[in-house]
Amino acid sequence: WGIPSHFNRDPSCLVLTGELTSACWQKEFNPTLRIFSTFGQPNWLASYLVLILPISVALTLTFQKQKQVIFALASVLIFWALILTNSRSGLLGFGASVLILAPLLGARTVKSNLKIIGVLIISFALISFLFADTITSRIKDTIESSTQHASSQQAPTQSSLTAGGTESGQIRLIVWEGAINIWKHWPILGPGPETFVNTYYQYRPATQNQTSEWEFYYNKAHNEFLNYLATSGTVGFLAYLFLIVSLIYTIIKSGKLKPEDSYFQKAAVAAIFGYLTTIFFGFSTVATQTTFFIICASALILAEKTQTKTKQKKEVQTQKTERQQT
């Protein structure tokens, strides 16, 4: 749905205005630069795509023939959309999921599926070569801004206030500092869930006054972990970490089955790590968080069913053996 908007053919505008263009959006939300599909924000779409891409790759390895082609095509389209979001956190999340998924699959799996994996890698590389110029420039700008060592005490420059605004990475660091300030004031239980928009304004760093977003309110810490820390305190933060670690441990433990049966579990673990990477630089939304828990639940249910079938096969084999002996 989002990919055509990169080419100034946004289906959302067709629904809203009857014209297949991107003209229904304001200049600041031009989807030809960063697509956002129906999510409303490119980073939210990227977070969702990072979640489902490993699952699509796992299904590509699971099925054969026509179904394998369908899921391989889906994987390519998902990656293409991810690149078109021009999301730095999305790219980092994709890298994290690859670093997790590759060793989990192992050399034997890669060797037995070398042809289809090769097609995916070549397709991903070609898409990156053709469409990754914008995100590459954003990464370059981030590196350049970090090497300038701009002093927080400097007055805002013309470029930062009127010619594009303060670099988003710098603003994130300021908001993170404000989140830690809130936690220091309510370290145990925090001020309460979804109170960041009220409490941040009381404890925000003075350096924000020298950015292009000096008058902005923030309803999230732009870091899921710091958001829990700032709103639910140490207790809520540790509870969230315990939930994440427990899910990862349980899925990995349940995935110790035959390699061909555990593609989904391995992909689920990779999706979790990729997703956690994206929300480290942003925050979860209803769509992404719901998908996250559905993937976790699906992996556990699939493992349970597989284990049940394996147990039933062993019982049937045992009964046959006993009858033959009798």
Side-chain angles (χ1 to χ4, degrees), residues 34 41-47 50 86-97 138-139 142 146 167-176 213 218 220-228 240 272-285 288:
R34 300 184 68 190
Q41 213 276 349
N43 290 331
W44 302 345
L45 173 60
S47 185
V50 167
N86 290 319
S87 171
R88 292 168 294 188
S89 61
L91 191 62
L92 287 173
F94 170 72
S97 63
R138 293 192 75 216
I139 295 173
T142 303
S146 63
E167 208 280 323
S168 61
Q170 296 179 13
I171 295 177
R172 271 192 180 88
L173 293 177
I174 295 173
V175 178
W176 292 358
E213 298 186 3
Y218 298 98
K220 297 285 187 179
H222 289 269
N223 181 309
E224 188 79 352
F225 303 95
L226 287 180
N227 198 70
Y228 275 99
Y240 179 68
I272 290 173
F273 276 98
Y275 175 61
L276 293 178
T277 301
T278 62
I279 62 177
F280 182 87
F281 299 97
F283 52 87
S284 62
T285 62
T288 56

Side-chain angles (χ1 to χ4, degrees), residues 185-207:
H185 192 77
W186 287 288
I188 300 177
L189 295 176
E194 301 303 329
T195 57
F196 190 85
V197 67
N198 306 104
T199 54
Y200 174 75
Y201 198 77
Q202 303 175 48
Y203 303 102
R204 73 174 195 170
T207 50

Side-chain angles (χ1 to χ4, degrees), residues 26 81 105 140 149 155 177 193 277:
Q26 296 179 8
L105 290 177
K140 182 180 179 181
H149 300 287
E177 183 182 347
T277 301

